[in-house]
Amino acid sequence: MPDQADPTARVRQAASARDLPIEIRERPAASSLAEAAGLLGLEPRDIVKTLVVKRSDDTYLFALIPGDRAIAWPKLRAIVGVNKLQLPSPEHALAATGYERGTIVPIGSSTEWPIYADTDIAGRRIAMGAGAHGFSLFVDADDLISAYGATVADISQPVS
C-alpha cells in the first residue's frame, strides 16, 4: 500500500534495501524534455528515460536511455537475443512495474525485470522517474548499474 504522505516511499525503501544512494526532489510539471532539463539544471542527456519493453513471451525488461536519444531497436534485440520487442500499452506497463508512465523507474518495480542501460549513461549523475508524478530521482548511474546488475550496452541512437 503506497504511503500517502510520501508517494516516493516505495522507491526510497527499495534503494535503501540495496544501499543505493539516491536523492528525490519535488519538481513542477514540464511540457518538454528541454523544459524539464532547465527546471532541474541539467542537460537533456542527463534525464534518463526508463522504458518498459515487452518480449514476445509476455516478460519485460527495462531500457535506460538518455533523454536526447531513442531506443535503437535492432541493437536492443541483438543484445537481448530476441527477434521481437515492443513498447507495451500504458496499462500493461503499469501492471508490469506498479508505476504509471512518466514515473517508471526500475527501483522498487513490483517485478524486478532485467535492466539494460545505454553506454551513454555510464559514469554520470542522472535524473529519472521517481515512482510518482512531480518528482525526480537523482542517482550516480554507475551505482544504479552495480546495485541492479544492469547490462551496459550501446542500445540507443540519435532521435530522428
Side-chain angles (χ1 to χ4, degrees), residues 44-136:
R45 70 187 210 106
D46 294 321
I47 297 177
V48 171
K49 300 177 278 199
T50 302
L51 301 172
V52 181
V53 178
K54 183 179 177 292
R55 300 179 202 205
S56 58
D57 65 359
D58 290 331
T59 63
Y60 296 84
L61 60 91
F62 290 111
L64 305 182
I65 306 293
D68 64 344
R69 296 181 65 81
I71 287 181
W73 290 103
K75 292 177 183 178
L76 184 58
R77 285 192 302 267
I79 296 294
V80 176
V82 298
N83 293 326
K84 188 176 181 199
L85 293 170
Q86 64 186 24
L87 294 176
S89 69
E91 298 78 24
H92 284 100
L94 174 60
T97 66
Y99 295 127
E100 291 179 29
R101 273 228 180 115
T103 72
I104 295 173
V105 62
I107 303 166
S109 173
S110 55
T111 302
E112 285 199 14
W113 303 111
I115 301 170
Y116 293 83
D118 188 71
T119 51
D120 279 6
I121 73 168
R124 300 205 333 259
R125 184 146 180 93
I126 58 170
M128 57 196 322
H133 292 287
F135 295 89
S136 288

Side-chain angles (χ1 to χ4, degrees), residues 30-45 47 67-68:
S31 59
S32 69
L33 175 66
E35 184 183 351
L39 288 169
L40 297 172
L42 301 171
E43 294 296 319
R45 70 187 210 106
I47 297 177
D68 64 344

